[in-house]
Amino acid sequence: CDIWGANMSDYQIVIIDDDDVRRKKLQTIMEFLGEPSVALACTEWSSCPKSATKFLALILGNCCGQKHEEALLKEVDACTSYTPIVFLNQPSKLQRLPRALSHRIVGTIHEPFTYSQVMDILHHCHIALQHNLEINQVEGHRPSSLLRSLV
């Protein structure tokens, strides 16, 4: 998949969850599927370097305390302007989600995780990211190679 120079294999999935067992289980599944991923607790996200990282999806689980969750969501919005978001077991989080993030929700993954469920949500994340990157390119500047091909 190549969107105007953006190679999807350069993107990684970030799993943010304070449930260690679930976080590691989901990361193991992603590794088995060949999807690059990193698994973090909510407090680890803020210390993680994000400037050069390309995110395929952010999978958000439990965060210890609503204050931490609100801070996490604000930082997610600031750092990842077009990354699709998936919830772990908690569709109720949609009610507390900042309006700026609501259009980026792709779905929810429920335990026990199944192959078809994970593959389906990853497929939706790929489509959403491609769409968001296309919109971002249209609103911004397209690469000169694209412009040359049009001439």
Side-chain angles (χ1 to χ4, degrees):
C1 300
D2 195 340
I3 300 298
W4 296 328
N7 187 347
M8 288 302 190
S9 64
D10 294 338
Y11 287 75
Q12 69 179 350
I13 296 167
V14 178
I15 304 161
I16 303 172
D17 192 6
D18 283 340
D19 182 331
D20 292 340
V21 174
R22 181 173 58 192
R23 184 177 68 230
K24 290 174 184 170
K25 188 185 306 182
L26 192 54
Q27 185 178 27
T28 301
I29 292 169
M30 294 302 171
E31 287 174 1
F32 177 77
L33 295 174
E35 293 287 347
S37 64
V38 62
L40 306 166
C42 290
T43 54
E44 295 172 313
W45 166 258
S46 58
S47 62
C48 176
K50 301 164 211 51
S51 59
T53 306
K54 298 176 182 177
F55 303 112
L56 168 63
L58 291 171
I59 301 177
L60 303 176
N62 290 334
C63 223
C64 291
Q66 189 170 351
K67 190 184 244 185
H68 287 290
E69 185 176 292
E70 288 172 5
L72 172 74
L73 290 173
K74 285 180 184 176
E75 192 170 346
V76 162
D77 186 32
C79 296
T80 61
S81 61
Y82 49 82
T83 303
I85 297 172
V86 176
F87 286 126
L88 283 173
N89 293 335
Q90 299 184 6
S92 62
K93 282 190 178 192
L94 286 170
Q95 298 165 351
R96 297 190 309 266
L97 195 67
R99 187 176 300 257
L101 292 176
S102 62
H103 71 282
R104 294 173 31 203
I105 303 304
V106 174
T108 303
I109 299 178
H110 298 280
E111 290 182 281
F113 304 122
T114 65
Y115 175 80
S116 60
Q117 177 189 34
V118 173
M119 290 303 293
D120 187 45
I121 205 75
L122 288 176
H123 176 72
H124 288 295
C125 288
H126 278 273
I127 290 170
L129 181 61
Q130 288 175 344
H131 174 74
N132 293 342
L133 288 172
E134 287 174 3
I135 289 172
N136 190 41
Q137 288 292 336
V138 168
E139 290 175 354
H141 292 68
R142 293 185 178 160
S144 59
S145 60
L146 176 65
L147 294 175
R148 277 194 297 268
S149 69
L150 295 173
V151 175

